[in-house]
Amino acid sequence: MGVADLADYPWDAVAPYAARAREHADGIVDLSIGSPVDATPEVVAAALSRATDAHAYPQTVGTPALREAIAAWFARRRGVHGLSAENVLPTVGSKELVALLPLLLGLGPGDVVVHPRAAYPTYEVGARLVGATPVAADDPAQWPEGARLIWVNSPGNPNGGVLTVEELRVAVERARELGAVLASDECYAELGWDEPWDATPIPSVLDPGATGGQLAGMLAVYSLSKQSNLAGYRAAFLAGDSDLVARLTTARKHLGLMLPAPVQAAMVAALGDDAHVVHQKSLYRTRRELLKPAVERAGFRIDSSEAGLYLWATEGRDAWESMARLAELGILAGPGYFYGEHFPEHIRLSLTASDERIAAGAARLRNARL
């Protein structure tokens, strides 16, 4: 399979529901896409502005300042100490890394790529792009022989589930039994809501409690799109096994996968400033506390969703029926079908809408006929 064989982009199927929602007298409340709506922090924008004299080619591996900032951030925010420049690598957003990792690792036909059952579709796309076989499985005991790359996602998209250190340790041990690379997508790790994640940091797969202090075969992927509103900057990075990082660096140099120098400077500023992250989390908490009870009042059950930017909800009917019901209220969601075949009755509702739109959506849900 190649690029020409990929399926149509699934969000095109949502267009009729979006059109219906836009007919609402008070306008659409679009909760379908997790794209930030709040401003880029000033400390980040200022750093970008100062770095606009970028006449030379940027470094694929990142500037020394950026690599130091990534390592320091892992130690300060994720409890992962001892990382060096050889353990980290910036990426052009996290989606390209997720899609291209099977290619960069040299996978192909006959290889298996494991991903969660409720999953961001790009895990499967990356596998199919190289002719590998995608397998959806959450239980490490069900991860098959032949697996070369295993994705875990904590907190999860779309379901907001969090893996504990103990669960991550089991995943690490099973991946090592299989001789597979274990890649953990951790892009929502700063956004914990329910106990214990409202007060306890969400663990990384690189946590020594999970790895036993050995990073061989382990990669953690993180994005600044969520915590810092940098989706338009395409600012992300990975960390882990230095040998894997070296392999990926070589491939990425050949392919020209490098971040613009001003973006690298902006990332240094974002990674060094925790205040804006605390502020952004407070905005999302307020929106969640308004939207969640309204969704439940309208007859939906919220599953998992203890962290991240989404409410993973079901009212026990086909997702497209729920989509149609919400569209009548002027609300647009994302159907569970887009996140694997296992959740045909779920929808995903994003917290990435303005305070005013979240309030409008919550009011419509509270007044909806059950």
Side-chain angles (χ1 to χ4, degrees):
M1 180 176 182
V3 174
D5 301 309
L6 294 175
D8 291 338
Y9 198 58
W11 284 98
D12 294 344
V14 172
Y17 301 90
R20 181 68 186 95
R22 289 190 186 96
E23 295 174 357
H24 191 278
D26 186 39
I28 188 173
V29 175
D30 190 348
L31 307 179
S32 64
I33 303 292
S35 184
V37 299
D38 300 306
T40 298
E42 177 58 31
V43 65
V44 178
L48 182 81
S49 179
R50 290 192 299 269
T52 52
D53 181 13
H55 48 273
Y57 286 112
Q59 296 173 274
T60 301
V61 296
T63 63
L66 177 54
R67 284 176 281 168
E68 290 172 6
I70 294 171
W73 178 85
F74 264 103
R76 188 179 72 254
R77 302 298 298 180
R78 308 302 308 281
V80 179
H81 299 271
L83 297 181
S84 69
E86 287 69 36
N87 297 113
V88 302
L89 182 66
T91 64
V92 191
S94 59
K95 185 171 184 176
E96 64 91 345
L97 186 278
V98 171
L100 294 179
L101 189 57
L103 174 67
L104 299 177
L105 292 174
L107 274 58
D111 295 325
V112 172
V113 175
V114 178
H115 61 77
R117 292 173 75 245
Y120 184 57
T122 309
Y123 306 127
E124 179 177 345
V125 168
R128 296 196 181 281
L129 186 66
V130 298
T133 302
V135 171
D138 294 327
D139 184 353
Q142 297 178 352
W143 294 347
E145 298 292 334
R148 296 277 307 284
L149 171 62
I150 298 168
W151 281 104
V152 293
N153 181 203
S154 175
N157 175 12
N159 66 356
V162 175
L163 296 174
T164 65
V165 169
E166 293 74 20
E167 290 169 324
L168 288 170
R169 183 189 306 122
V170 172
V172 168
E173 291 172 352
R174 178 57 175 161
R176 287 174 174 166
E177 289 176 1
L178 295 170
V181 172
L182 180 63
S184 180
D185 182 346
E186 303 174 355
C187 293
Y188 300 89
E190 289 278 11
L191 300 173
W193 309 120
D194 297 338
E195 293 185 357
W197 312 120
D198 57 338
T200 301
I202 291 171
S204 170
V205 75
L206 305 183
D207 189 291
T211 65
Q214 302 298 317
L215 299 184
M218 305 294 115
L219 292 173
V221 180
Y222 195 77
S223 168
L224 298 182
S225 295
K226 283 51 174 179
Q227 72 159 49
S228 302
N229 299 328
L230 298 188
Y233 283 50
R234 311 312 302 136
F237 51 89
L238 60 84
D241 180 350
S242 58
D243 289 338
L244 283 175
V245 170
R247 286 176 55 192
L248 296 174
T249 299
T250 298
R252 295 175 71 82
K253 285 180 178 178
H254 283 295
L255 295 173
L257 294 171
M258 62 187 79
L259 271 77
V263 173
Q264 296 193 34
M267 289 176 68
V268 173
L271 289 166
D273 180 76
D274 295 337
H276 78 273
V277 182
V278 173
H279 172 70
Q280 188 59 47
K281 183 175 181 179
S282 72
L283 295 178
Y284 285 135
R285 184 186 298 279
T286 298
R287 292 165 188 167
R288 183 178 186 270
E289 290 176 350
L290 187 61
L291 185 63
K292 183 174 182 288
V295 172
E296 293 170 328
R297 171 68 179 79
F300 288 85
R301 183 186 76 236
I302 307 296
D303 288 339
S304 207
S305 305
E306 60 259 36
L309 281 180
Y310 310 106
L311 298 177
W312 187 230
T314 178
E315 56 177 342
R317 66 172 75 180
D318 186 88
W320 291 115
E321 294 181 30
S322 295
M323 291 283 292
R325 178 192 172 198
L326 290 172
E328 292 297 320
L329 299 174
I331 299 171
L332 186 65
Y337 286 104
F338 288 3
Y339 306 99
E341 62 185 4
H342 306 286
F343 299 93
E345 295 184 346
H346 279 74
I347 59 166
R348 193 192 77 169
L349 296 160
S350 174
L351 304 177
T352 55
S354 69
D355 293 346
E356 184 274 332
R357 287 291 84 187
I358 291 286
R364 296 176 196 179
L365 289 164
R366 285 194 299 269
N367 296 327
R369 292 184 178 180
L370 301 180

